[in-house]
Amino acid sequence: MAVVETKDLTKVFTPGERGAVNDVNLLTREGEFMVFLGPSGSGKTTLLRMIAGLEDPTAGEILIGGRVVTHLAPRDRGIAMVFQSYALYPHLSVYKNISFPLRAQGVPKEEHRGKVEWAAGLLGIGELLERKPRELSGGERQRVALARAIVREPTVFLLDEPLSNLDAKLRASAREELTEFHDRVGTTTIYVTHDQIEAMAMGDRIVVLHEGFVRQVGSPREVYDDPADTFVATFLGSPPMNLVDHGDVLVGFRPEHLLPRSLVEGQAVEIGLRVTGIEYLGSERILYALIDRDRFAEQRVVAKLPATYDVGAAGGDAVDFAVAERHLRFFDKTSEKRTGARALEWA
Amino acid sequence: MGPVAGGRRPPVRIFRWVALSVFSVLLAFPFVWMAITSFKQTSDLYDVENNPFLFNEMPTLEHVELLLGETLFPRWLLNTAFAGTMVVLITLLLAVPAAYALARLTGRWGERLGIAIFLTYLIPPTLLFIPMSRVVSILGLQDSLWSIIVVYPTFTIPFSIWLLMAFFKSIPSELEDAAMVDGLTRFQAFLRLVIPISFSGILTVVIFTFTLVTQEFVYALTFISSASNQTIGVGVPIYLVRGDVYYWGSLMAACLIASLPIAVFYNLFLDRFIAGFTVGAVK
């Protein structure tokens, strides 16, 4: 096991243009499950591919287990990777797919069977060893890819959106299995995804990337509750955080914290709303509204209410809502970074 | 919808059988025709009153004996096999790495270069004929089998590069990434992964190249004059068509003997050609 460290890691594909990855400094913890989260084009896959050695960095250093590996070939880095497409070898049986890394690295042949059976057993695919990849379902392919990754006991796991090819139902159970699998083997893991639910559910820490820059590193709770800037605030959460213009700052609050006045306890900011639309989503309701009065009039906000609360309001109705003060977040309008709390001149 | 679908089924099956039968007959016919003609007596063959599909007189071995005994056919067969093998080897040795490099490593210039290479294939062989004969004579290869071994790759390679490029491009590059993470160098990944997966493409190149050697006429005729150095593509028509006398029986026997091995070889790997070979690799 080992930690992965990047120092000022940069990748520029076309000289003169903005880099795909810019000055990224990261340090994983031993055995950590770290998630790179960002929209497409945020540089998360490029970053992972540089750590894997499949992409040459333009500048900076990569260390795995304290060893500089920046210019080593992928095979010399002690890593294993699971690809978005799984990249199973189509002409080989499942057994040969899983034993491929062993053969490639010259592990004595007598040890293959035992190791393959151990890896296949861990993932519950022991009966599939004689099949070809095309005879497997999506979930089975994903497990074969994982078995192939784990078979030579790598120091670091790199996973590139391994669940994106599964259907929604399978994805939820695969998420749980992956977490359990990680807990069992305890190998340092870097996981790339654009899906915030995966990131929140699985990550020990999340690295939020945008346009090749790291915007925030923190536990799922930290990045959700205390976003470092407006990008993180609006990228995480569905619907995203409300941002209301207030002079030189933007005031942010989560839709689930914008509640009817009677439900909010303690110090709170009152907001009058005019409801423009309601979505019934089963377990919750999404309220689209405009702020009705004062200096914030006509700014758009979204509220998320539990289904157990009867809204009663229809389109066009004016209702009294409020946000507890401890749930307000403030962002500088020009830098878009988080700033300290301040008193609001609400009226 | 059930009854309708059920009612449609038998006609669909009948249609399939009819289509299959028509194509089978169409494809088997040349072979049957060659076989019948090879063993027919000449008087039977030329009698228009006879049913051409049957032996109206006793079958005979005289055409085969003429072919094997009085012409250099066995020698031509060997020459063709040798030249064919050499041309296939040279073509594979140059076209496989070139196609891989063009498909993977040179970015968008790869594509343009690929098209440029393909364009050379469009130059008619008769145009290249004079410069080629200069090359052959400078190398001192006139009247030698090696003359065509040198010349044929100039048109088999561009075509093969083009064909293989398409195959290599259809292999997801993530497969090679996976192989490199798993412990191979790029070159090893090429040998142990890309080549086995593109087996059907490589087989197509082998068959295309080999058939070209057996049938090419113009270059073989001009560069080689001794009967003992000829290939079947030239030897057979020259020595079995004398003036206006066609030795049909022997001609057909020669064609049959030359084409059967290729047909059998092709059929052995038929499923490989058809199967979408990368299915199951991704997604």
Side-chain angles (χ1 to χ4, degrees), chain A residues 49 52 54 74-75 79-81 83-92 97 100-105 133-134 138 141 148 152 160 165, chain B residues 171-186 188-189 192-197 275-283:
Chain A
R49 287 175 62 86
L54 296 168
R75 63 182 181 282
I79 50 158
M81 188 159 171
F83 293 83
Q84 183 171 9
S85 64
Y86 311 140
L88 300 180
Y89 308 126
H91 60 307
L92 300 177
N97 259 285
F100 193 92
L102 303 175
R103 276 178 287 145
Q105 303 208 314
R134 63 172 167 275
R141 282 177 199 171
R148 184 177 70 185
R152 68 200 145 107
D160 185 7
N165 282 331
Chain B
I171 299 175
S173 59
E174 279 197 346
L175 275 183
E176 287 152 66
D177 291 343
M180 286 194 280
V181 171
D182 281 349
L184 300 185
T185 60
R186 184 174 271 282
Q188 285 171 326
R192 288 171 58 176
L193 199 68
V194 176
I195 290 184
I197 291 174
F277 206 59
T278 51
V279 173
V282 294
K283 296 214 171 168

Side-chain angles (χ1 to χ4, degrees), chain A residues 162-183:
Chain A
L163 304 185
S164 61
N165 282 331
L166 302 178
D167 59 55
K169 205 169 162 189
L170 206 55
R171 207 178 302 169
S173 64
R175 210 160 60 206
E176 197 187 327
E177 275 175 32
L178 257 180
T179 311
E180 196 187 304
F181 173 75
H182 174 255
D183 291 345

Side-chain angles (χ1 to χ4, degrees), chain B residues 82-96 153 157 206 209:
Chain B
F82 176 71
T85 312
M86 293 309 290
V87 174
V88 165
L89 287 180
I90 292 170
T91 303
L92 286 182
L93 214 61
L94 295 175
V96 173
I157 288 173
V206 168
T209 306

Side-chain angles (χ1 to χ4, degrees), chain B residues 224-256:
Chain B
I224 303 172
S225 35
S226 319
S228 62
N229 287 340
Q230 246 132 23
T231 57
I232 38 175
V234 173
V236 168
I238 287 184
Y239 293 94
L240 292 173
V241 181
R242 299 181 188 167
D244 58 353
V245 182
Y246 286 72
Y247 290 75
W248 282 119
S250 306
L251 277 168
M252 287 297 123
C255 293
L256 188 67

Side-chain angles (χ1 to χ4, degrees), chain A residues 13-25:
Chain A
F13 282 108
T14 322
E17 284 180 22
R18 184 175 54 79
V21 172
N22 304 292
D23 297 318
V24 170
N25 289 288

